[in-house]
Each structure stands twice: as structure tokens, then as C-alpha cells.
Coordinates of all heavy atoms in Angstrom, one line a residue:
M1 N -70.1 -14.0 -42.0 CA -69.3 -13.1 -41.3 C -70.0 -11.8 -41.2 O -70.4 -11.3 -42.3 CB -67.9 -13.0 -41.9 CG -66.9 -12.3 -41.0 SD -65.2 -12.2 -41.6 CE -64.8 -13.8 -42.2
N2 N -70.1 -11.2 -40.0 CA -70.8 -9.9 -40.0 C -69.9 -8.7 -40.4 O -68.7 -8.9 -40.5 CB -71.4 -9.6 -38.6 CG -70.4 -9.5 -37.5 OD1 -69.3 -8.9 -37.7 ND2 -70.7 -10.0 -36.3
Q3 N -70.4 -7.5 -40.6 CA -69.7 -6.4 -41.1 C -68.5 -6.0 -40.1 O -67.4 -5.7 -40.6 CB -70.6 -5.2 -41.3 CG -69.9 -4.0 -42.0 CD -70.8 -2.9 -42.2 OE1 -72.0 -2.9 -41.9 NE2 -70.3 -1.9 -42.9
A4 N -68.8 -6.0 -38.8 CA -67.7 -5.7 -37.9 C -66.6 -6.6 -38.0 O -65.4 -6.2 -37.9 CB -68.3 -5.7 -36.5
T5 N -66.8 -7.9 -38.1 CA -65.8 -8.9 -38.2 C -65.0 -8.7 -39.5 O -63.8 -8.8 -39.5 CB -66.4 -10.4 -38.1 OG1 -67.1 -10.5 -36.9 CG2 -65.3 -11.4 -38.1
T6 N -65.7 -8.5 -40.5 CA -65.1 -8.3 -41.8 C -64.2 -7.1 -41.8 O -63.0 -7.1 -42.3 CB -66.1 -8.1 -42.9 OG1 -66.9 -9.3 -43.0 CG2 -65.5 -8.0 -44.3
S7 N -64.6 -6.0 -41.2 CA -63.9 -4.8 -41.1 C -62.6 -5.0 -40.3 O -61.5 -4.6 -40.8 CB -64.7 -3.7 -40.4 OG -64.0 -2.5 -40.3
V8 N -62.6 -5.6 -39.2 CA -61.4 -5.9 -38.4 C -60.5 -6.8 -39.1 O -59.3 -6.6 -39.2 CB -61.8 -6.4 -37.0 CG1 -60.6 -6.9 -36.3 CG2 -62.5 -5.3 -36.2
A9 N -61.1 -7.8 -39.8 CA -60.2 -8.8 -40.5 C -59.4 -8.1 -41.6 O -58.3 -8.6 -42.0 CB -61.1 -9.9 -41.1
A10 N -59.9 -7.0 -42.2 CA -59.2 -6.3 -43.2 C -58.0 -5.4 -42.7 O -57.3 -4.9 -43.5 CB -60.1 -5.5 -44.1
G11 N -57.9 -5.2 -41.4 CA -56.9 -4.3 -40.8 C -55.5 -4.9 -40.8 O -55.2 -6.0 -41.4
K12 N -54.7 -4.2 -40.1 CA -53.3 -4.7 -39.9 C -53.1 -5.8 -38.8 O -53.9 -5.8 -37.9 CB -52.3 -3.5 -39.7 CG -52.7 -2.7 -38.4 CD -51.8 -1.4 -38.4 CE -52.5 -0.4 -37.5 NZ -52.0 0.9 -37.7
A13 N -52.2 -6.6 -39.0 CA -52.0 -7.7 -38.1 C -51.1 -7.3 -36.9 O -50.0 -6.6 -37.2 CB -51.3 -8.9 -38.8
V14 N -51.5 -7.6 -35.7 CA -50.6 -7.3 -34.5 C -50.7 -8.6 -33.6 O -51.6 -9.4 -33.8 CB -51.1 -6.1 -33.7 CG1 -50.9 -4.8 -34.6 CG2 -52.5 -6.2 -33.2
T15 N -49.8 -8.7 -32.7 CA -49.9 -9.8 -31.7 C -50.1 -9.1 -30.4 O -49.4 -8.2 -29.9 CB -48.5 -10.5 -31.7 OG1 -48.3 -11.1 -32.9 CG2 -48.6 -11.6 -30.6
L16 N -51.2 -9.6 -29.7 CA -51.5 -9.1 -28.4 C -50.9 -10.1 -27.3 O -51.0 -11.3 -27.5 CB -53.0 -9.1 -28.2 CG -53.8 -8.3 -29.2 CD1 -55.3 -8.5 -28.9 CD2 -53.4 -6.9 -29.2
R17 N -50.3 -9.5 -26.3 CA -49.8 -10.3 -25.2 C -50.4 -9.8 -23.9 O -50.5 -8.6 -23.7 CB -48.3 -10.3 -25.2 CG -47.7 -10.7 -26.6 CD -46.4 -11.4 -26.6 NE -46.3 -12.5 -25.7 CZ -45.2 -12.8 -25.1 NH1 -44.1 -12.2 -25.4 NH2 -45.1 -13.8 -24.2
F18 N -50.7 -10.7 -23.0 CA -51.3 -10.3 -21.7 C -50.6 -11.0 -20.6 O -50.2 -12.1 -20.7 CB -52.8 -10.8 -21.7 CG -53.6 -10.4 -22.9 CD1 -54.0 -11.3 -23.9 CD2 -54.0 -9.0 -23.0 CE1 -54.7 -10.9 -25.0 CE2 -54.8 -8.6 -24.1 CZ -55.1 -9.6 -25.1
F19 N -50.3 -10.2 -19.5 CA -49.5 -10.7 -18.4 C -50.2 -10.5 -17.1 O -51.1 -9.7 -16.9 CB -48.2 -9.9 -18.4 CG -47.3 -10.2 -19.6 CD1 -47.4 -9.4 -20.7 CD2 -46.4 -11.3 -19.5 CE1 -46.6 -9.7 -21.8 CE2 -45.6 -11.6 -20.6 CZ -45.7 -10.8 -21.8
A20 N -49.8 -11.4 -16.1 CA -50.2 -11.3 -14.7 C -51.8 -11.4 -14.6 O -52.4 -12.2 -15.2 CB -49.6 -10.1 -14.1
A21 N -52.3 -10.5 -13.8 CA -53.8 -10.5 -13.6 C -54.6 -10.3 -14.8 O -55.7 -10.8 -15.0 CB -54.2 -9.4 -12.5
I22 N -54.1 -9.5 -15.8 CA -54.8 -9.3 -17.0 C -54.9 -10.6 -17.8 O -55.9 -11.0 -18.3 CB -54.1 -8.2 -17.9 CG1 -54.2 -6.9 -17.1 CG2 -54.7 -8.1 -19.3 CD1 -53.4 -5.7 -17.8
R23 N -53.8 -11.4 -17.8 CA -53.8 -12.7 -18.5 C -54.8 -13.6 -17.8 O -55.6 -14.3 -18.5 CB -52.4 -13.3 -18.4 CG -52.4 -14.7 -19.0 CD -51.1 -15.4 -18.8 NE -50.8 -15.6 -17.4 CZ -49.7 -15.3 -16.8 NH1 -48.6 -14.8 -17.5 NH2 -49.5 -15.4 -15.5
E24 N -54.9 -13.6 -16.5 CA -55.8 -14.4 -15.7 C -57.2 -14.1 -16.1 O -58.1 -15.0 -16.2 CB -55.5 -14.4 -14.2 CG -54.1 -14.8 -13.8 CD -53.9 -16.3 -14.2 OE1 -54.8 -17.1 -14.1 OE2 -52.8 -16.5 -14.7
T25 N -57.5 -12.8 -16.1 CA -58.9 -12.4 -16.4 C -59.3 -12.7 -17.8 O -60.4 -13.2 -18.1 CB -59.0 -10.9 -16.2 OG1 -58.7 -10.6 -14.8 CG2 -60.5 -10.4 -16.5
I26 N -58.4 -12.5 -18.8 CA -58.8 -12.7 -20.2 C -58.7 -14.2 -20.5 O -59.5 -14.7 -21.4 CB -57.8 -11.9 -21.1 CG1 -58.2 -10.4 -21.0 CG2 -57.9 -12.3 -22.6 CD1 -57.3 -9.4 -21.7
G27 N -57.9 -14.9 -19.8 CA -57.8 -16.4 -20.0 C -56.9 -16.9 -21.1 O -56.9 -18.0 -21.4
Q28 N -56.0 -16.0 -21.6 CA -54.9 -16.4 -22.5 C -53.8 -15.4 -22.4 O -53.9 -14.3 -22.0 CB -55.5 -16.5 -23.9 CG -56.0 -15.2 -24.5 CD -56.7 -15.5 -25.8 OE1 -56.5 -16.5 -26.5 NE2 -57.4 -14.5 -26.3
S29 N -52.6 -15.9 -22.8 CA -51.4 -15.0 -22.7 C -51.1 -14.4 -24.1 O -50.4 -13.3 -24.1 CB -50.2 -15.9 -22.3 OG -49.9 -16.9 -23.2
E30 N -51.6 -14.9 -25.2 CA -51.2 -14.3 -26.5 C -52.4 -14.5 -27.4 O -53.0 -15.5 -27.4 CB -49.9 -15.0 -27.0 CG -49.4 -14.3 -28.3 CD -48.0 -14.9 -28.6 OE1 -47.2 -15.0 -27.7 OE2 -47.9 -15.3 -29.8
E31 N -52.5 -13.5 -28.4 CA -53.6 -13.6 -29.3 C -53.2 -12.9 -30.6 O -52.8 -11.7 -30.5 CB -54.9 -13.1 -28.7 CG -56.1 -13.0 -29.6 CD -57.3 -12.5 -28.9 OE1 -57.2 -12.0 -27.8 OE2 -58.3 -12.5 -29.5
P32 N -53.4 -13.4 -31.8 CA -53.2 -12.7 -33.0 C -54.4 -11.8 -33.2 O -55.5 -12.2 -32.8 CB -53.1 -13.7 -34.1 CG -53.8 -14.9 -33.5 CD -53.6 -14.9 -32.0
W33 N -54.3 -10.6 -33.7 CA -55.4 -9.7 -33.8 C -55.2 -8.8 -35.1 O -54.1 -8.5 -35.4 CB -55.5 -8.8 -32.6 CG -56.7 -7.9 -32.5 CD1 -56.7 -6.6 -32.6 CD2 -58.0 -8.3 -32.3 NE1 -58.0 -6.1 -32.5 CE2 -58.8 -7.1 -32.3 CE3 -58.7 -9.5 -32.1 CZ2 -60.2 -7.2 -32.1 CZ3 -60.0 -9.5 -31.9 CH2 -60.8 -8.4 -31.9
R34 N -56.3 -8.5 -35.7 CA -56.3 -7.6 -36.9 C -57.1 -6.3 -36.5 O -58.1 -6.4 -35.9 CB -56.9 -8.2 -38.1 CG -56.1 -9.4 -38.5 CD -56.3 -9.9 -39.9 NE -55.8 -9.0 -41.0 CZ -54.5 -9.0 -41.4 NH1 -53.6 -9.8 -40.8 NH2 -54.1 -8.2 -42.4
T35 N -56.5 -5.2 -36.8 CA -57.0 -3.9 -36.3 C -56.9 -2.8 -37.3 O -56.0 -2.8 -38.1 CB -56.3 -3.5 -34.9 OG1 -56.9 -2.3 -34.4 CG2 -54.8 -3.3 -35.1
H36 N -57.8 -1.8 -37.1 CA -57.6 -0.5 -37.9 C -57.1 0.6 -36.9 O -57.1 1.7 -37.3 CB -59.0 -0.1 -38.5 CG -59.4 -1.0 -39.6 ND1 -58.8 -0.9 -40.8 CD2 -60.3 -2.0 -39.8 CE1 -59.3 -1.8 -41.7 NE2 -60.2 -2.4 -41.0
A37 N -56.8 0.2 -35.7 CA -56.3 1.2 -34.7 C -55.1 2.0 -35.2 O -54.2 1.3 -35.7 CB -56.0 0.5 -33.4
A38 N -55.1 3.3 -35.0 CA -54.0 4.1 -35.4 C -52.9 4.2 -34.3 O -51.7 4.3 -34.6 CB -54.4 5.5 -35.8
T39 N -53.4 4.1 -33.1 CA -52.5 4.2 -31.9 C -52.8 3.0 -30.9 O -53.8 2.3 -31.0 CB -52.8 5.5 -31.1 OG1 -54.1 5.4 -30.5 CG2 -52.6 6.7 -32.0
V40 N -51.9 2.9 -30.0 CA -52.0 1.9 -28.9 C -53.3 2.1 -28.1 O -54.0 1.2 -27.8 CB -50.8 1.9 -28.0 CG1 -51.0 1.0 -26.8 CG2 -49.5 1.4 -28.8
G41 N -53.6 3.4 -27.9 CA -54.9 3.7 -27.1 C -56.1 3.3 -27.9 O -57.1 2.8 -27.4
D42 N -56.1 3.5 -29.2 CA -57.2 3.1 -30.1 C -57.4 1.6 -30.0 O -58.5 1.1 -30.0 CB -56.9 3.5 -31.6 CG -57.0 5.0 -31.8 OD1 -57.5 5.8 -30.9 OD2 -56.4 5.4 -32.8
L43 N -56.2 0.9 -30.0 CA -56.3 -0.6 -29.9 C -56.9 -1.0 -28.6 O -57.8 -1.9 -28.5 CB -54.9 -1.2 -30.0 CG -54.8 -2.7 -29.8 CD1 -55.6 -3.5 -30.9 CD2 -53.4 -3.1 -29.8
R44 N -56.5 -0.3 -27.5 CA -57.1 -0.7 -26.2 C -58.6 -0.4 -26.2 O -59.4 -1.2 -25.7 CB -56.5 0.2 -25.1 CG -57.0 -0.1 -23.7 CD -56.3 0.6 -22.6 NE -56.8 0.4 -21.3 CZ -56.4 1.0 -20.2 NH1 -55.4 1.9 -20.3 NH2 -56.9 0.7 -19.1
D45 N -59.1 0.7 -26.8 CA -60.5 1.0 -27.0 C -61.2 -0.1 -27.8 O -62.3 -0.5 -27.5 CB -60.7 2.4 -27.6 CG -60.4 3.5 -26.7 OD1 -60.3 3.3 -25.4 OD2 -60.1 4.6 -27.2
E46 N -60.6 -0.6 -28.8 CA -61.1 -1.6 -29.7 C -61.3 -2.9 -28.8 O -62.4 -3.6 -28.9 CB -60.2 -1.9 -30.8 CG -60.7 -2.7 -31.9 CD -59.8 -2.8 -33.1 OE1 -59.7 -1.8 -33.9 OE2 -59.0 -3.8 -33.1
L47 N -60.4 -3.2 -28.0 CA -60.5 -4.4 -27.2 C -61.5 -4.2 -26.1 O -62.3 -5.1 -25.8 CB -59.1 -4.7 -26.5 CG -58.0 -5.1 -27.5 CD1 -56.7 -5.3 -26.8 CD2 -58.4 -6.5 -28.2
L48 N -61.6 -3.0 -25.5 CA -62.7 -2.7 -24.6 C -64.1 -2.9 -25.2 O -65.0 -3.5 -24.5 CB -62.6 -1.3 -24.1 CG -61.5 -1.0 -23.1 CD1 -61.3 0.5 -22.9 CD2 -61.7 -1.7 -21.8
A49 N -64.2 -2.6 -26.4 CA -65.5 -2.7 -27.1 C -65.9 -4.2 -27.3 O -67.1 -4.5 -27.5 CB -65.5 -2.0 -28.5
R50 N -64.9 -5.1 -27.2 CA -65.2 -6.5 -27.3 C -66.1 -7.0 -26.1 O -66.8 -8.0 -26.2 CB -64.0 -7.4 -27.3 CG -63.2 -7.3 -28.5 CD -61.9 -8.1 -28.5 NE -62.2 -9.5 -28.8 CZ -61.2 -10.4 -28.8 NH1 -60.0 -10.1 -28.6 NH2 -61.5 -11.7 -29.1
G51 N -66.0 -6.2 -25.0 CA -66.8 -6.5 -23.8 C -66.2 -7.7 -23.0 O -65.1 -8.1 -23.2
G52 N -67.0 -8.2 -22.1 CA -66.6 -9.3 -21.3 C -65.3 -9.2 -20.6 O -65.1 -8.1 -20.0
A53 N -64.5 -10.2 -20.6 CA -63.2 -10.2 -19.9 C -62.3 -9.1 -20.3 O -61.5 -8.5 -19.5 CB -62.5 -11.5 -20.0
Y54 N -62.3 -8.7 -21.6 CA -61.5 -7.6 -22.2 C -61.9 -6.3 -21.5 O -61.0 -5.5 -21.1 CB -61.6 -7.6 -23.7 CG -61.0 -8.8 -24.4 CD1 -61.8 -9.9 -24.6 CD2 -59.6 -8.8 -24.7 CE1 -61.2 -11.0 -25.3 CE2 -59.1 -9.9 -25.3 CZ -59.9 -11.0 -25.6 OH -59.3 -12.1 -26.2
A55 N -63.2 -6.0 -21.5 CA -63.7 -4.8 -20.9 C -63.3 -4.8 -19.4 O -63.0 -3.7 -18.8 CB -65.2 -4.7 -21.1
Q56 N -63.4 -5.9 -18.7 CA -63.0 -5.9 -17.3 C -61.5 -5.7 -17.1 O -61.1 -4.9 -16.2 CB -63.5 -7.3 -16.7 CG -63.2 -7.5 -15.2 CD -63.5 -8.8 -14.7 OE1 -64.2 -9.6 -15.4 NE2 -63.0 -9.2 -13.5
A57 N -60.7 -6.4 -17.8 CA -59.3 -6.4 -17.6 C -58.6 -5.1 -18.0 O -57.6 -4.6 -17.4 CB -58.6 -7.6 -18.3
L58 N -59.2 -4.5 -19.1 CA -58.5 -3.3 -19.7 C -59.3 -2.0 -19.4 O -59.0 -1.0 -20.1 CB -58.3 -3.5 -21.2 CG -57.5 -4.7 -21.5 CD1 -57.5 -5.0 -23.0 CD2 -56.1 -4.6 -21.0
A59 N -60.3 -2.0 -18.5 CA -61.1 -0.9 -18.3 C -60.3 0.4 -18.0 O -59.2 0.4 -17.5 CB -62.0 -1.2 -17.0
R60 N -60.9 1.5 -18.5 CA -60.2 2.8 -18.4 C -59.9 3.2 -16.9 O -58.9 3.9 -16.7 CB -61.0 3.9 -19.1 CG -60.9 3.8 -20.6 CD -59.5 4.2 -21.0 NE -59.3 4.0 -22.4 CZ -58.1 3.9 -23.0 NH1 -57.0 4.1 -22.2 NH2 -58.0 3.7 -24.2
G61 N -60.6 2.8 -16.0 CA -60.4 3.1 -14.6 C -59.3 2.3 -13.9 O -58.8 2.5 -12.8
R62 N -58.8 1.2 -14.6 CA -57.8 0.4 -14.1 C -56.4 0.8 -14.5 O -56.2 1.3 -15.7 CB -58.0 -1.1 -14.6 CG -59.3 -1.7 -14.1 CD -59.4 -3.1 -14.5 NE -58.4 -3.9 -13.8 CZ -58.6 -4.9 -13.1 NH1 -59.8 -5.4 -13.0 NH2 -57.7 -5.6 -12.5
A63 N -55.4 0.6 -13.7 CA -54.0 0.9 -14.0 C -53.5 -0.2 -14.9 O -53.4 -1.3 -14.5 CB -53.2 1.1 -12.8
V64 N -53.2 0.1 -16.2 CA -52.7 -0.8 -17.1 C -51.5 -0.2 -17.8 O -51.6 0.9 -18.3 CB -53.8 -1.2 -18.2 CG1 -53.3 -2.1 -19.3 CG2 -55.0 -1.8 -17.5
R65 N -50.4 -0.9 -17.9 CA -49.2 -0.5 -18.6 C -49.3 -1.2 -20.0 O -49.8 -2.3 -20.1 CB -48.0 -0.9 -17.9 CG -47.9 -0.4 -16.5 CD -47.6 1.1 -16.5 NE -47.5 1.7 -15.2 CZ -48.4 2.4 -14.6 NH1 -49.5 2.7 -15.1 NH2 -48.2 2.9 -13.4
V66 N -48.6 -0.5 -20.9 CA -48.6 -1.0 -22.3 C -47.2 -1.0 -22.8 O -46.5 0.0 -22.6 CB -49.5 -0.2 -23.2 CG1 -49.6 -0.9 -24.6 CG2 -50.9 -0.2 -22.7
A67 N -46.8 -2.0 -23.5 CA -45.5 -2.0 -24.2 C -45.7 -2.3 -25.7 O -46.5 -3.2 -26.0 CB -44.6 -3.1 -23.6
L68 N -45.0 -1.6 -26.5 CA -45.1 -1.8 -27.9 C -43.7 -2.3 -28.4 O -42.7 -1.7 -28.2 CB -45.4 -0.4 -28.6 CG -45.4 -0.4 -30.1 CD1 -46.5 -1.3 -30.7 CD2 -45.6 1.0 -30.7
N69 N -43.7 -3.5 -28.9 CA -42.5 -4.2 -29.4 C -41.5 -4.2 -28.2 O -40.3 -3.8 -28.4 CB -41.9 -3.5 -30.6 CG -42.9 -3.7 -31.8 OD1 -43.5 -4.8 -31.9 ND2 -43.0 -2.7 -32.6
Q70 N -41.9 -4.5 -27.0 CA -41.1 -4.7 -25.8 C -40.5 -3.5 -25.2 O -39.6 -3.5 -24.5 CB -40.1 -5.8 -26.1 CG -40.6 -7.1 -26.5 CD -39.6 -8.2 -26.7 OE1 -38.4 -8.0 -26.4 NE2 -40.1 -9.4 -27.1
V71 N -41.1 -2.3 -25.5 CA -40.7 -1.0 -25.0 C -42.0 -0.3 -24.4 O -42.9 -0.2 -25.1 CB -40.1 -0.1 -26.0 CG1 -39.7 1.2 -25.4 CG2 -38.8 -0.8 -26.6
L72 N -41.9 0.0 -23.1 CA -43.0 0.7 -22.5 C -43.4 2.0 -23.3 O -42.5 2.6 -23.8 CB -42.7 1.2 -21.1 CG -42.7 0.1 -20.0 CD1 -42.2 0.7 -18.7 CD2 -44.1 -0.4 -19.8
C73 N -44.7 2.2 -23.5 CA -45.1 3.4 -24.3 C -46.3 4.0 -23.8 O -47.0 3.5 -23.0 CB -45.3 2.9 -25.8 SG -46.7 1.9 -26.0
A74 N -46.6 5.2 -24.3 CA -47.8 5.9 -24.1 C -48.9 5.4 -25.0 O -48.6 4.9 -26.1 CB -47.6 7.4 -24.3
E75 N -50.1 5.6 -24.7 CA -51.2 5.1 -25.5 C -51.3 5.9 -26.8 O -52.0 5.5 -27.8 CB -52.5 5.1 -24.8 CG -52.6 4.0 -23.7 CD -54.0 3.7 -23.2 OE1 -55.0 4.2 -23.8 OE2 -54.1 3.0 -22.2
S76 N -50.6 7.1 -26.9 CA -50.6 7.9 -28.1 C -49.6 7.4 -29.1 O -49.6 7.9 -30.3 CB -50.3 9.3 -27.7 OG -49.0 9.4 -27.1
E77 N -48.9 6.4 -28.8 CA -47.9 5.8 -29.7 C -48.5 5.2 -30.9 O -49.5 4.5 -30.8 CB -47.1 4.7 -29.0 CG -45.8 4.3 -29.7 CD -44.7 5.3 -29.7 OE1 -44.7 6.2 -28.8 OE2 -43.9 5.3 -30.7
P78 N -48.0 5.6 -32.1 CA -48.6 5.0 -33.4 C -48.4 3.5 -33.4 O -47.4 2.9 -32.9 CB -47.8 5.6 -34.5 CG -47.2 6.9 -33.9 CD -47.0 6.6 -32.4
L79 N -49.4 2.8 -33.9 CA -49.4 1.3 -34.0 C -49.0 0.8 -35.4 O -49.8 0.9 -36.3 CB -50.8 0.8 -33.6 CG -51.0 -0.7 -33.4 CD1 -50.1 -1.3 -32.3 CD2 -52.4 -1.0 -33.2
P80 N -47.8 0.3 -35.5 CA -47.4 -0.2 -36.8 C -47.9 -1.6 -37.1 O -48.2 -2.4 -36.2 CB -45.9 -0.2 -36.8 CG -45.6 -0.4 -35.3 CD -46.7 0.2 -34.6
E81 N -48.0 -2.0 -38.4 CA -48.2 -3.3 -38.9 C -47.2 -4.3 -38.2 O -46.1 -4.0 -38.1 CB -48.1 -3.4 -40.4 CG -48.1 -4.8 -41.0 CD -49.5 -5.4 -41.0 OE1 -50.5 -4.7 -41.1 OE2 -49.6 -6.7 -40.9
G82 N -47.7 -5.5 -37.8 CA -46.8 -6.5 -37.3 C -46.4 -6.3 -35.8 O -45.5 -7.0 -35.3
A83 N -46.9 -5.3 -35.2 CA -46.4 -4.9 -33.8 C -46.8 -6.0 -32.8 O -47.8 -6.7 -33.0 CB -47.0 -3.6 -33.4
E84 N -46.0 -6.1 -31.7 CA -46.4 -6.8 -30.5 C -46.8 -5.8 -29.5 O -46.1 -4.9 -29.2 CB -45.2 -7.6 -30.0 CG -45.5 -8.4 -28.7 CD -44.3 -9.0 -28.1 OE1 -43.7 -8.2 -27.3 OE2 -44.0 -10.1 -28.4
V85 N -48.0 -6.0 -29.0 CA -48.5 -5.1 -28.0 C -48.8 -5.9 -26.7 O -49.6 -6.8 -26.7 CB -49.8 -4.3 -28.4 CG1 -50.3 -3.3 -27.4 CG2 -49.6 -3.6 -29.8
A86 N -48.2 -5.5 -25.6 CA -48.3 -6.2 -24.3 C -49.0 -5.3 -23.3 O -48.8 -4.1 -23.2 CB -47.0 -6.6 -23.8
F87 N -50.0 -5.9 -22.6 CA -50.8 -5.3 -21.6 C -50.5 -5.9 -20.3 O -50.5 -7.2 -20.2 CB -52.3 -5.4 -21.9 CG -52.7 -4.7 -23.1 CD1 -52.8 -5.3 -24.3 CD2 -53.0 -3.3 -23.1 CE1 -53.2 -4.7 -25.5 CE2 -53.5 -2.7 -24.3 CZ -53.5 -3.4 -25.5
F88 N -50.1 -5.1 -19.2 CA -49.8 -5.7 -17.9 C -50.1 -4.7 -16.8 O -50.1 -3.5 -17.1 CB -48.4 -6.2 -17.9 CG -47.4 -5.2 -18.3 CD1 -46.7 -4.4 -17.4 CD2 -47.1 -5.0 -19.6 CE1 -45.8 -3.5 -17.8 CE2 -46.1 -4.1 -20.0 CZ -45.5 -3.3 -19.1
P89 N -50.4 -5.2 -15.6 CA -50.6 -4.3 -14.5 C -49.3 -3.7 -14.1 O -48.2 -4.2 -14.4 CB -51.2 -5.2 -13.4 CG -50.7 -6.6 -13.8 CD -50.5 -6.6 -15.3
P90 N -49.4 -2.5 -13.3 CA -48.1 -2.0 -12.8 C -47.4 -3.0 -11.9 O -48.1 -3.8 -11.2 CB -48.6 -0.8 -12.0 CG -50.0 -0.5 -12.4 CD -50.5 -1.8 -12.9
V91 N -46.1 -3.0 -11.9 CA -45.3 -3.9 -11.2 C -44.5 -3.1 -10.1 O -44.0 -2.1 -10.5 CB -44.3 -4.7 -12.1 CG1 -43.5 -5.6 -11.3 CG2 -45.1 -5.4 -13.2
T92 N -44.5 -3.6 -8.9 CA -43.7 -3.0 -7.9 C -42.7 -3.9 -7.4 O -42.9 -5.1 -7.4 CB -44.6 -2.5 -6.7 OG1 -45.3 -3.7 -6.1 CG2 -45.7 -1.5 -7.1
G93 N -41.6 -3.4 -7.0 CA -40.5 -4.2 -6.5 C -40.6 -4.4 -5.0 O -41.4 -3.8 -4.3
G94 N -39.8 -5.2 -4.5 CA -39.8 -5.5 -3.0 C -38.5 -5.8 -2.5 O -37.5 -5.9 -3.1

């Protein structure tokens, strides 16, 4: 196991959830994850650093909404141990 993997493995456990176009791009709807991120925004940056589909779906230029434990939140929101973090595109009604 490389140092980056070991470092992330030692962090806090969270559950990632992906919806709509983000789910389609990443290729899964849910994923357990270990992180050292202090905030939801730090977690997004960590996922962006994974590259590939994560970088494409969660890119800073894209409109992405985030919910922490099923409540919409700002990326400055502190990220607690055991949190569920959901990423989804803006939704419009019709």
C-alpha cells in the first residue's frame, strides 16, 4: 500500500452518495470513503485529486450541490465522522 492510500485509510469514515448525472459519470451511486478532510469542500477537493471520472463530475467549474446527512450545506460545513455526503447537480422543477 502506498503512502497516500495509507494516509487516507487512517482518516475518518464517511459515506459518499452520487445522484443523477454525477452518478452516471462516476459509475456508482454510493461508496464508503476514509478522509482527513475537515470540511465538505476539502472532501470535494480530495475527490477531485483522484482524477478521472471524479475530476470530471465534481470539477470546480461545474454546478454541484452538496448535502451533509441529508441537509443541503455549504462547502465550508465541518465534516464529522460517520457523515453521509451526497453530491448532485442542481435540480429544477417544471
Side-chain angles (χ1 to χ4, degrees):
M1 192 178 312
N2 68 36
Q3 185 177 6
T5 304
T6 302
S7 176
V8 171
K12 58 189 155 198
V14 297
T15 300
L16 305 176
R17 304 212 49 212
F18 307 107
F19 293 92
I22 294 172
R23 178 187 61 228
E24 297 303 315
T25 301
I26 290 175
Q28 60 186 346
S29 61
E30 186 172 312
E31 176 180 8
W33 186 250
R34 296 197 74 82
T35 181
H36 287 287
T39 67
V40 171
D42 293 341
L43 175 63
R44 184 176 177 185
D45 288 338
E46 193 174 276
L47 295 171
L48 286 168
R50 290 178 81 177
Y54 293 90
Q56 179 183 347
L58 301 173
R60 285 288 172 197
R62 297 184 67 124
V64 175
R65 301 289 182 255
V66 184
L68 178 62
N69 295 325
Q70 300 183 6
V71 177
L72 284 173
C73 69
E75 289 195 12
S76 60
E77 191 70 28
L79 184 64
E81 169 76 30
E84 176 190 88
V85 183
F87 295 93
F88 52 96
V91 179
T92 60

